[in-house]
Amino acid sequence: MTDSELISEVNGRGYAVISAPVPTDDPFEAHRRVAERLGLPDAYTPLLYRDAEVRAAVGQAGPYNQIPRDAASVQPWSETPAQHFHVDGLLEPLGGIKTTILHCLTQAHSGGGTELFFSCDAFTDLSAAHEAAAQSLLHPEALTRFATISEAAPTRLRATGPAFGWVDGTLLTRFSDGPTETWNTAENPALQKALDYLRGPALENHRVQIRLEPGDMLIFRNDRVSHRGLGHQNGSQPRRLTRSMYSSAPTSRR
């Protein structure tokens, strides 16, 4: 696949899967090479990981991270539950992180896929069927996301904003729906109808599951596609991914 074809696939379909050899030394060199192909700037450090308290708790200070953070603590043949749908960048405003790259180093014994939810496409369908419900997702206080990494974080590290919105004429999403999210349904009654649709019928038509093998790399538009890691059973070695995030979308170099 040429660079222009890769860029077109990520921006058009919302994601692409390519092969990038598992590194033997620097685990993030493959990220830098692919980011250059995509015309992306330097990897972006999310606002959450710029916080001193959070950095001390998780040991992350830069723009790259490994999943799980501490692979040595994962017991052989242990079970890892599925995540909830989210976009990367818990504290970022709408569209703050536009591109995410995941690179598979080792895969689980069973399970371990990544599920993409094309939430912007789901919003478009909802708009056609229930305009008021769709409009509720655009409310500036529709969705609050908050950190739970430390005791002080839930009251301090919070970000409230719309779940969807248009930026420069493009529909973007920050749809996330798990234990670190609160939906303002009390003051926005139509929002519950929107959530019922997004949590139910929309998933039937707007999701895909991808299971990366070692050396596979998943690139997706984080500002247009929500995602989650699926449950898995680790083998003698844990499932390991590396991740980098970017504040720009892929673009052809001029």
Side-chain angles (χ1 to χ4, degrees):
M1 187 184 301
T2 67
D3 292 356
S4 60
E5 289 171 339
L6 178 59
I7 290 168
S8 178
E9 186 163 328
V10 174
N11 287 334
R13 188 173 62 166
Y15 76 98
V17 177
I18 62 172
S19 179
V22 174
T24 57
D25 44 12
D26 183 349
F28 300 108
E29 179 57 31
H31 289 257
R32 287 185 276 270
R33 290 199 302 268
V34 171
E36 184 177 5
R37 289 183 60 189
L38 296 170
L40 295 172
D42 291 340
Y44 174 82
T45 301
L47 295 175
L48 180 65
Y49 298 122
R50 299 182 201 178
D51 181 80
E53 182 183 6
V54 173
R55 289 202 305 270
V58 304
Q60 179 174 336
Y64 301 99
N65 66 294
Q66 301 196 44
I67 305 169
R69 292 190 180 94
D70 182 11
S73 67
V74 179
Q75 295 297 314
W77 308 103
S78 57
E79 301 278 350
T80 299
Q83 296 177 311
H84 296 268
F85 281 113
H86 63 282
V87 299
D88 291 331
L90 184 142
L91 300 180
E92 260 68 31
L94 184 72
I97 295 177
K98 296 187 178 301
T99 308
T100 292
I101 298 177
L102 294 174
H103 191 198
C104 180
L105 305 186
T106 58
Q107 185 50 278
H109 172 72
S110 61
T114 299
E115 187 167 37
L116 302 180
F117 174 41
F118 302 100
S119 44
C120 282
D121 292 342
F123 176 89
T124 299
D125 284 358
L126 178 62
S127 297
H130 306 288
E131 183 176 358
Q135 288 296 313
S136 72
L137 293 162
L138 306 177
H139 192 280
E141 296 182 353
L143 173 62
T144 297
R145 304 188 70 192
F146 55 90
T148 57
I149 291 173
S150 66
E151 292 184 4
T155 58
R156 186 170 57 81
L157 299 175
R158 305 173 68 87
T160 298
F164 295 83
W166 280 268
V167 176
D168 297 330
T170 300
L171 179 65
L172 304 181
T173 185
R174 59 190 286 268
F175 176 79
S176 305
D177 194 26
T180 58
E181 282 78 39
T182 299
W183 292 93
N184 187 16
T185 54
E187 298 181 19
N188 193 357
L191 188 55
Q192 187 59 58
K193 186 170 187 177
L195 289 174
D196 290 342
Y197 174 76
L198 293 173
R199 292 167 175 167
L203 290 176
E204 298 301 318
N205 300 318
H206 298 294
R207 65 178 172 180
V208 64
Q209 293 184 3
I210 300 161
R211 190 177 191 272
L212 301 177
E213 297 300 330
D216 286 346
M217 181 174 277
L218 171 63
I219 308 159
F220 61 90
R221 284 291 300 269
N222 182 70
D223 58 347
R224 293 188 50 78
V225 179
S226 304
H227 69 282
R228 66 173 183 151
L230 297 174
H232 59 273
Q233 181 186 37
N234 294 293
S236 57
Q237 293 183 325
R239 170 183 179 264
R240 293 176 56 230
L241 304 175
T242 52
R243 180 180 67 174
S244 59
M245 294 164 280
Y246 303 85
S247 59
S248 298
T251 183
S252 299
R253 288 170 291 178
R254 298 182 184 276

